[in-house]
Short mmCIF file of all heavy atoms in Angstrom, two decimals:
data_model
loop_
_atom_site.label_atom_id
_atom_site.label_comp_id
_atom_site.label_asym_id
_atom_site.label_seq_id
_atom_site.Cartn_x
_atom_site.Cartn_y
_atom_site.Cartn_z
N THR A 1 145.77 77.72 83.78
CA THR A 1 144.49 77.55 83.09
C THR A 1 143.32 77.89 84.01
O THR A 1 142.39 78.60 83.62
CB THR A 1 144.35 76.10 82.58
OG1 THR A 1 145.41 75.82 81.67
CG2 THR A 1 143.02 75.89 81.88
N GLY A 2 143.38 77.38 85.23
CA GLY A 2 142.32 77.69 86.18
C GLY A 2 142.24 79.17 86.51
O GLY A 2 141.14 79.74 86.61
N LEU A 3 143.40 79.80 86.70
CA LEU A 3 143.40 81.23 87.01
C LEU A 3 142.84 82.06 85.85
O LEU A 3 142.06 83.00 86.06
CB LEU A 3 144.83 81.69 87.34
CG LEU A 3 145.40 81.23 88.68
CD1 LEU A 3 146.86 81.62 88.79
CD2 LEU A 3 144.61 81.82 89.84
N SER A 4 143.23 81.71 84.62
CA SER A 4 142.75 82.46 83.45
C SER A 4 141.24 82.28 83.28
O SER A 4 140.50 83.26 83.08
CB SER A 4 143.49 82.00 82.20
OG SER A 4 144.88 82.17 82.34
N ALA A 5 140.78 81.03 83.37
CA ALA A 5 139.34 80.79 83.22
C ALA A 5 138.56 81.44 84.35
O ALA A 5 137.47 81.99 84.13
CB ALA A 5 139.08 79.27 83.20
N GLY A 6 139.10 81.41 85.57
CA GLY A 6 138.42 82.04 86.69
C GLY A 6 138.32 83.54 86.56
O GLY A 6 137.30 84.14 86.92
N ALA A 7 139.38 84.17 86.03
CA ALA A 7 139.34 85.62 85.85
C ALA A 7 138.28 86.01 84.82
O ALA A 7 137.52 86.98 85.01
CB ALA A 7 140.72 86.12 85.41
N VAL A 8 138.18 85.23 83.73
CA VAL A 8 137.18 85.54 82.69
C VAL A 8 135.77 85.31 83.22
O VAL A 8 134.89 86.17 83.07
CB VAL A 8 137.44 84.67 81.44
CG1 VAL A 8 136.30 84.84 80.42
CG2 VAL A 8 138.77 85.06 80.80
N SER A 9 135.53 84.15 83.84
CA SER A 9 134.19 83.87 84.36
C SER A 9 133.83 84.82 85.50
O SER A 9 132.66 85.15 85.69
CB SER A 9 134.10 82.41 84.83
OG SER A 9 135.04 82.15 85.85
N GLY A 10 134.85 85.28 86.26
CA GLY A 10 134.60 86.25 87.31
C GLY A 10 134.08 87.57 86.74
O GLY A 10 133.18 88.20 87.32
N LEU A 11 134.64 88.00 85.62
CA LEU A 11 134.16 89.22 84.98
C LEU A 11 132.73 89.04 84.47
O LEU A 11 131.91 89.97 84.55
CB LEU A 11 135.10 89.61 83.83
CG LEU A 11 136.51 90.05 84.26
CD1 LEU A 11 137.38 90.29 83.04
CD2 LEU A 11 136.46 91.30 85.14
N LEU A 12 132.43 87.85 83.94
CA LEU A 12 131.04 87.57 83.52
C LEU A 12 130.11 87.58 84.73
O LEU A 12 128.95 88.03 84.62
CB LEU A 12 130.99 86.22 82.82
CG LEU A 12 131.73 86.10 81.48
CD1 LEU A 12 131.66 84.68 80.95
CD2 LEU A 12 131.15 87.08 80.46
N LEU A 13 130.60 87.11 85.87
CA LEU A 13 129.80 87.12 87.09
C LEU A 13 129.49 88.56 87.52
O LEU A 13 128.36 88.87 87.92
CB LEU A 13 130.54 86.39 88.20
CG LEU A 13 129.89 86.33 89.57
CD1 LEU A 13 128.55 85.62 89.50
CD2 LEU A 13 130.81 85.64 90.58
N VAL A 14 130.48 89.44 87.42
CA VAL A 14 130.26 90.85 87.76
C VAL A 14 129.21 91.44 86.83
O VAL A 14 128.29 92.17 87.27
CB VAL A 14 131.58 91.63 87.67
CG1 VAL A 14 131.32 93.13 87.81
CG2 VAL A 14 132.55 91.17 88.76
N ALA A 15 129.31 91.12 85.53
CA ALA A 15 128.34 91.65 84.57
C ALA A 15 126.93 91.15 84.88
O ALA A 15 125.96 91.92 84.87
CB ALA A 15 128.75 91.26 83.16
N GLY A 16 126.81 89.85 85.20
CA GLY A 16 125.48 89.30 85.50
C GLY A 16 124.90 89.88 86.77
O GLY A 16 123.70 90.16 86.84
N ALA A 17 125.74 90.05 87.81
CA ALA A 17 125.24 90.59 89.07
C ALA A 17 124.87 92.06 88.95
O ALA A 17 123.90 92.53 89.56
CB ALA A 17 126.29 90.41 90.16
N THR A 18 125.63 92.80 88.16
CA THR A 18 125.39 94.25 88.03
C THR A 18 124.15 94.55 87.20
O THR A 18 123.33 95.40 87.56
CB THR A 18 126.62 94.93 87.41
OG1 THR A 18 127.77 94.64 88.19
CG2 THR A 18 126.42 96.44 87.34
N THR A 19 124.01 93.84 86.07
CA THR A 19 122.89 94.12 85.17
C THR A 19 121.62 93.39 85.56
O THR A 19 120.52 93.82 85.19
CB THR A 19 123.28 93.74 83.74
OG1 THR A 19 123.52 92.31 83.67
CG2 THR A 19 124.54 94.47 83.30
N GLY A 20 121.75 92.28 86.28
CA GLY A 20 120.57 91.47 86.60
C GLY A 20 120.03 90.69 85.44
O GLY A 20 118.93 90.12 85.53
N ALA A 21 120.78 90.62 84.33
CA ALA A 21 120.32 89.90 83.15
C ALA A 21 120.18 88.41 83.45
O ALA A 21 121.09 87.80 84.00
CB ALA A 21 121.30 90.11 81.99
N GLY A 22 119.04 87.86 83.09
CA GLY A 22 118.82 86.43 83.30
C GLY A 22 118.35 86.08 84.69
O GLY A 22 118.16 84.89 84.98
N GLY A 23 118.17 87.06 85.57
CA GLY A 23 117.70 86.79 86.91
C GLY A 23 118.66 85.92 87.71
O GLY A 23 119.88 86.04 87.59
N LEU A 24 118.10 85.02 88.52
CA LEU A 24 118.93 84.17 89.37
C LEU A 24 119.82 83.25 88.54
O LEU A 24 121.00 83.05 88.87
CB LEU A 24 118.03 83.34 90.29
CG LEU A 24 118.74 82.38 91.24
CD1 LEU A 24 119.68 83.14 92.18
CD2 LEU A 24 117.73 81.57 92.05
N LEU A 25 119.30 82.71 87.44
CA LEU A 25 120.10 81.82 86.60
C LEU A 25 121.25 82.57 85.94
O LEU A 25 122.35 82.02 85.78
CB LEU A 25 119.22 81.17 85.54
CG LEU A 25 119.87 80.04 84.72
CD1 LEU A 25 120.28 78.89 85.65
CD2 LEU A 25 118.91 79.55 83.64
N GLY A 26 121.02 83.84 85.58
CA GLY A 26 122.09 84.65 85.01
C GLY A 26 123.22 84.90 85.98
O GLY A 26 124.35 85.18 85.57
N LEU A 27 122.93 84.81 87.28
CA LEU A 27 123.98 84.92 88.29
C LEU A 27 124.64 83.57 88.55
O LEU A 27 125.86 83.48 88.74
CB LEU A 27 123.38 85.47 89.59
CG LEU A 27 124.34 85.64 90.77
CD1 LEU A 27 125.29 86.81 90.52
CD2 LEU A 27 123.57 85.85 92.06
N LEU A 28 123.83 82.51 88.55
CA LEU A 28 124.36 81.21 88.94
C LEU A 28 125.30 80.61 87.90
O LEU A 28 126.31 79.99 88.27
CB LEU A 28 123.20 80.23 89.19
CG LEU A 28 122.40 80.45 90.48
CD1 LEU A 28 121.23 79.49 90.56
CD2 LEU A 28 123.30 80.29 91.69
N VAL A 29 125.01 80.78 86.62
CA VAL A 29 125.85 80.13 85.60
C VAL A 29 127.29 80.63 85.65
O VAL A 29 128.23 79.82 85.74
CB VAL A 29 125.23 80.31 84.20
CG1 VAL A 29 126.21 79.84 83.12
CG2 VAL A 29 123.92 79.54 84.10
N PRO A 30 127.56 81.96 85.61
CA PRO A 30 128.96 82.38 85.74
C PRO A 30 129.54 82.07 87.12
O PRO A 30 130.75 81.86 87.25
CB PRO A 30 128.91 83.88 85.47
CG PRO A 30 127.51 84.29 85.72
CD PRO A 30 126.68 83.11 85.33
N LEU A 31 128.70 82.02 88.16
CA LEU A 31 129.18 81.64 89.49
C LEU A 31 129.68 80.19 89.47
O LEU A 31 130.75 79.88 90.01
CB LEU A 31 128.06 81.81 90.51
CG LEU A 31 128.36 81.29 91.93
CD1 LEU A 31 129.50 82.10 92.56
CD2 LEU A 31 127.12 81.36 92.81
N TRP A 32 128.91 79.30 88.84
CA TRP A 32 129.33 77.90 88.75
C TRP A 32 130.64 77.77 87.99
O TRP A 32 131.51 77.00 88.37
CB TRP A 32 128.23 77.08 88.08
CG TRP A 32 126.99 76.93 88.91
CD1 TRP A 32 126.89 77.02 90.28
CD2 TRP A 32 125.66 76.69 88.43
NE1 TRP A 32 125.60 76.85 90.68
CE2 TRP A 32 124.81 76.64 89.58
CE3 TRP A 32 125.11 76.50 87.17
CZ2 TRP A 32 123.45 76.41 89.48
CZ3 TRP A 32 123.74 76.26 87.06
CH2 TRP A 32 122.92 76.22 88.20
N LEU A 33 130.78 78.52 86.89
CA LEU A 33 132.02 78.45 86.10
C LEU A 33 133.20 78.96 86.92
O LEU A 33 134.31 78.41 86.84
CB LEU A 33 131.86 79.28 84.82
CG LEU A 33 130.84 78.76 83.80
CD1 LEU A 33 130.71 79.74 82.65
CD2 LEU A 33 131.26 77.39 83.28
N THR A 34 132.97 80.00 87.70
CA THR A 34 134.05 80.54 88.53
C THR A 34 134.46 79.55 89.61
O THR A 34 135.66 79.32 89.83
CB THR A 34 133.60 81.87 89.19
OG1 THR A 34 133.17 82.78 88.17
CG2 THR A 34 134.74 82.49 89.97
N MET A 35 133.50 78.93 90.26
CA MET A 35 133.83 77.95 91.29
C MET A 35 134.53 76.73 90.69
O MET A 35 135.46 76.17 91.30
CB MET A 35 132.56 77.52 92.03
CG MET A 35 131.88 78.64 92.81
SD MET A 35 132.91 79.27 94.16
CE MET A 35 132.73 77.96 95.36
N PHE A 36 134.12 76.30 89.50
CA PHE A 36 134.79 75.19 88.83
C PHE A 36 136.25 75.56 88.54
O PHE A 36 137.16 74.74 88.74
CB PHE A 36 134.07 74.86 87.53
CG PHE A 36 134.72 73.75 86.74
CD1 PHE A 36 134.43 72.43 87.02
CD2 PHE A 36 135.61 74.05 85.72
CE1 PHE A 36 135.03 71.41 86.29
CE2 PHE A 36 136.21 73.03 84.99
CZ PHE A 36 135.92 71.71 85.28
N SER A 37 136.50 76.79 88.10
CA SER A 37 137.86 77.23 87.80
C SER A 37 138.72 77.25 89.07
O SER A 37 139.89 76.87 89.04
CB SER A 37 137.84 78.62 87.15
OG SER A 37 137.09 78.60 85.94
N ILE A 38 138.14 77.70 90.17
CA ILE A 38 138.88 77.69 91.44
C ILE A 38 139.24 76.26 91.82
O ILE A 38 140.31 76.01 92.40
CB ILE A 38 138.05 78.37 92.55
CG1 ILE A 38 137.81 79.84 92.20
CG2 ILE A 38 138.76 78.28 93.89
CD1 ILE A 38 136.86 80.55 93.15
N GLY A 39 138.36 75.31 91.50
CA GLY A 39 138.66 73.91 91.75
C GLY A 39 139.88 73.42 91.00
O GLY A 39 140.56 72.47 91.44
N LEU A 40 140.21 74.03 89.85
CA LEU A 40 141.43 73.70 89.12
C LEU A 40 142.65 74.35 89.76
O LEU A 40 143.77 73.84 89.62
CB LEU A 40 141.32 74.16 87.66
CG LEU A 40 140.27 73.48 86.79
CD1 LEU A 40 140.27 74.10 85.40
CD2 LEU A 40 140.52 71.98 86.70
N VAL A 41 142.45 75.46 90.44
CA VAL A 41 143.57 76.21 91.03
C VAL A 41 143.98 75.63 92.38
O VAL A 41 145.16 75.42 92.65
CB VAL A 41 143.19 77.71 91.18
CG1 VAL A 41 144.30 78.47 91.92
CG2 VAL A 41 142.94 78.32 89.82
N MET A 42 143.00 75.35 93.23
CA MET A 42 143.27 75.05 94.64
C MET A 42 144.23 73.88 94.85
O MET A 42 145.12 73.96 95.71
CB MET A 42 141.96 74.82 95.39
CG MET A 42 141.10 76.06 95.54
SD MET A 42 141.89 77.36 96.49
CE MET A 42 141.92 76.61 98.10
N PRO A 43 144.12 72.74 94.14
CA PRO A 43 145.04 71.64 94.44
C PRO A 43 146.47 71.87 93.96
O PRO A 43 147.39 71.23 94.47
CB PRO A 43 144.41 70.45 93.69
CG PRO A 43 143.03 70.88 93.31
CD PRO A 43 143.10 72.36 93.17
N ASN A 44 146.67 72.75 92.99
CA ASN A 44 147.98 72.83 92.33
C ASN A 44 148.96 73.76 93.02
O ASN A 44 150.17 73.54 92.94
CB ASN A 44 147.79 73.24 90.87
CG ASN A 44 147.14 72.16 90.04
OD1 ASN A 44 147.66 71.06 89.92
ND2 ASN A 44 145.96 72.45 89.52
N SER A 45 148.48 74.77 93.70
CA SER A 45 149.41 75.63 94.46
C SER A 45 150.14 74.83 95.54
O SER A 45 151.37 74.91 95.64
CB SER A 45 148.65 76.81 95.08
OG SER A 45 148.15 77.67 94.08
#
């Protein structure tokens, strides 16, 4: 679940960073989701 959510939010992060849509907040929101997803992955391996 964490890996799947992280891959999706990571792609959104690439889109936000590349287009600049939403400015700093447009970068931070998918970044936060990606870091949260990694938090689901790290303890389970």
Side-chain angles (χ1 to χ4, degrees):
T1 299
L3 288 173
S4 302
V8 172
S9 60
L11 293 175
L12 294 176
L13 178 61
V14 172
T18 304
T19 63
L24 179 60
L25 189 62
L27 180 72
L28 286 176
V29 171
L31 174 65
W32 291 336
L33 293 175
T34 304
M35 295 296 284
F36 178 85
S37 301
I38 297 173
L40 295 178
V41 174
M42 292 298 292
N44 291 299
S45 294

